[in-house]
């Protein structure tokens, strides 16, 4: 059974940084995409960043480009999201997700089959 567990969320002031981690067990997504999504209260789930090392592809939502960095350690089955210069609009529950579709870097939530339980990120002074 596949399990994804996020950690690293918290409360930081505007301009602060956080590093989210996603620990994967039961499957290795090394040949397909993994991604971070977020969902703020009253809003839909939004793609934040995704990575597919098998095709050397990384994508970001335009609002986080230059501030967030996604990375993976396939050997340890871990994924990270380094978030810098955080702003109040970044506040949300952040989810990691894994796709079984090989050969593409997809940003659509429906293409991801495995999800973590989420970690809360709150940006406030």
């Amino acid at each position: 059974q596949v399990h994804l567990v996020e950690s690293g969320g918290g409360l930081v002031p505007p301009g602060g940084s956080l590093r989210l981690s996603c620990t994967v067990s039961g499957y290795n997504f090394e040949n397909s995409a993994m991604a971070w999504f977020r969902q703020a209260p009253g809003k839909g789930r939004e793609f934040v960043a995704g990575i597919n090392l098998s095709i050397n592809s990384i994508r970001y939502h335009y609002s986080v480009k230059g501030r967030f960095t996604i990375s993976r350690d396939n050997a340890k089955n871990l994924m990270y999201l380094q978030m810098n210069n955080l702003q109040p609009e970044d506040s949300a529950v952040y989810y990691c997700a894994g796709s079984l579709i090989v050969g593409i870097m997809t940003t659509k939530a429906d293409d991801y089959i495995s999800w973590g339980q989420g970690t809360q990120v709150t940006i406030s002074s």
Side-chain angles (χ1 to χ4, degrees):
Q1 191 171 2
V2 183
H3 288 286
L4 283 69
V5 179
E6 304 93 340
S7 60
L11 169 65
V12 297
S17 297
L18 284 172
R19 189 193 195 205
L20 304 184
S21 298
C22 177
T23 302
V24 183
S25 60
Y27 189 80
N28 194 319
F29 293 94
E30 60 184 350
N31 292 316
S32 54
M34 291 196 71
W36 291 95
F37 289 78
R38 66 187 179 188
Q39 188 165 17
K43 295 187 177 182
R45 194 163 291 191
E46 174 183 68
F47 173 83
V48 176
I51 183 169
N52 187 339
L53 293 179
S54 69
I55 58 171
N56 198 30
S57 178
I58 292 177
R59 295 185 66 178
Y60 296 97
H61 189 273
Y62 71 90
S63 66
V64 307
K65 199 172 290 187
R67 300 189 296 124
F68 291 11
T69 303
I70 189 171
S71 61
R72 283 178 69 173
D73 184 336
N74 280 341
K76 297 181 179 178
N77 224 355
L78 292 167
M79 181 174 68
Y80 304 100
L81 186 67
Q82 177 66 44
M83 306 186 294
N84 298 327
N85 190 22
L86 284 160
Q87 300 301 316
E89 54 267 31
D90 295 316
S91 297
V93 177
Y94 283 70
Y95 300 89
C96 68
S99 169
L100 296 182
I101 304 174
V102 176
I104 64 169
M105 178 57 247
T106 176
T107 64
K108 296 186 294 183
D110 287 347
D111 288 338
Y112 289 83
I113 192 171
S114 298
W115 293 83
Q117 82 290 347
T119 185
Q120 178 70 49
V121 171
T122 303
I123 314 305
S124 176
S125 55

